[in-house]
Amino acid sequence: MVKTEREYRDDIVQIGRLVFGKGWVAANDGNITIRLDAERILATPTGVCKGMMHPDDLIIVDMKGNKIAGRKERTSEILMHLTVYEMRPDIKAVVHAHPPVATGFATAGKPLNLALLPEVVIGLGCVPLAEYGLPGTPALTDPMLPYIPKYDALMMANHGAVCYGADVFQAYFRMETMEHFARIQLVAELLGGPRVLPRVEVDKLLDSRTRYGVKAKVAGEPGCPVAAEEVGPDGQDRFYVTRAELIGLVDEALKAHGVA
C-alpha cells in the first residue's frame, strides 16, 4: 500500500531520531531522502539536527536537485542521493551518516570486505570503500560511480557512509548492519586478527540468498567478500595479476627509472 507524503515525512523523522540516538551523526551531520515519485525527492534540509526534526522541516527537490517545496534550504550533498536514484531505479530511499567505527575504517583506508559474518555476506556481500572527494561537489560522487550499481552500502574515504534500499527502513538497517560489522571486526583485530571464512563457505552463503529471499546486488564480485585463501600472511588482501599484466607493470617501473 502506497504511503502518503505525510507518512513518508514521519518515516524520515523517525529514522533521523534513530541515527542521532545511535551517535551516527553529530550536530547537523547526515542526510536522509525518500523518492516520492519519478520527479520528486523528499529530503532532510541543511542545518537541522537529525534527532530534532519536525515533519514540516523536510523539503522536496526535483531530480536535478532544485528545491520545489519547503521553507528550509537544500543540503549541499543532495547530488549524492540523486546519483544513487539515477543509477538504481530499484532504490526508493537513501541514508547518509557518519557511523563512528565504519567511518574509522574509512579514514584508515580499509574497506569492510572480509568474509567474517554470514549475515553480512548474505545481506551485503561486503562494504567497499570509495576514494575521497570533496563533499558537496561532483568530486564526492565520481569515485562512488563504479560501486553504486553493484553494492547496497558503501563507505567514502575520510567522510562517512551511505546505504540505500527499497524503503528508508531497509536503508537504515543496512547501515546498522554495516556499523555492527565494523565494531565486530575492530574487536577481532584487537584480539589478534579476524579468522576469515574460506571460499567454499562464502560460496555456500552466497548461494543461500535465494533461500532467505535476499536480493542483494553484489553476487561474488572479485574481492567482495575476501575469503581466507585471498588474505596474505600479513593480513592484507592478495593482489592477483596475469603474466602479461606483471610484465607490463615491470616495464612501466623500469621506464619510470630510466632503465628501459
Side-chain angles (χ1 to χ4, degrees), residues 179-192:
E179 177 67 357
H180 190 60
F181 178 32
R183 292 172 66 185
I184 291 172
Q185 182 169 334
L186 178 60
V187 172
E189 292 187 358
L190 292 173
L191 294 175

Side-chain angles (χ1 to χ4, degrees), residues 37-182:
D37 52 42
E39 303 296 331
R40 301 180 303 151
I41 303 296
L42 182 65
T44 53
T46 189
V48 175
C49 172
K50 302 308 170 290
M52 302 177 183
M53 292 186 299
H54 186 277
D56 293 337
D57 290 334
L58 306 184
I59 65 170
I60 297 177
V61 302
D62 62 21
M63 293 305 292
K64 293 183 179 180
N66 302 308
K67 189 180 78 170
I68 57 179
R71 62 193 182 192
K72 295 188 179 293
E73 295 305 313
R74 182 194 70 172
T75 172
S76 62
E77 293 185 330
I78 193 65
L79 176 62
M80 174 175 58
H81 295 251
L82 297 175
T83 301
V84 173
Y85 290 128
E86 181 179 357
M87 299 184 74
R88 294 283 300 274
D90 58 312
I91 294 302
K92 305 300 180 186
V94 178
V95 174
H96 165 55
H98 306 149
V101 183
T103 302
F105 275 86
T107 58
K110 294 185 176 183
L112 293 168
N113 62 350
L114 297 180
L116 300 179
L117 300 177
E119 297 81 2
V120 176
V121 174
I122 292 172
L124 295 177
C126 74
V127 184
L129 175 65
E131 292 296 323
Y132 175 78
L134 182 64
T137 73
L140 173 67
T141 56
D142 287 347
M144 299 166 58
L145 299 181
Y147 301 111
I148 292 173
K150 299 178 181 180
Y151 302 92
D152 295 323
L154 60 91
M155 301 185 297
M156 295 164 282
N158 300 91
H159 187 165
V162 61
C163 300
Y164 26 93
D167 57 49
V168 73
F169 293 97
Q170 185 180 58
Y172 164 79
F173 287 135
R174 283 173 171 164
M175 186 163 291
E176 189 172 60
T177 297
M178 177 194 65
E179 177 67 357
H180 190 60
F181 178 32

Side-chain angles (χ1 to χ4, degrees), residues 12-41:
I12 287 182
V13 169
Q14 181 180 352
I15 294 301
R17 289 172 179 164
L18 287 170
V19 167
F20 179 77
K22 283 184 171 289
W24 295 352
V25 292
N28 302 325
D29 291 349
N31 27 77
I32 306 164
T33 61
I34 291 178
R35 192 203 303 255
L36 293 175
D37 52 42
E39 303 296 331
R40 301 180 303 151
I41 303 296

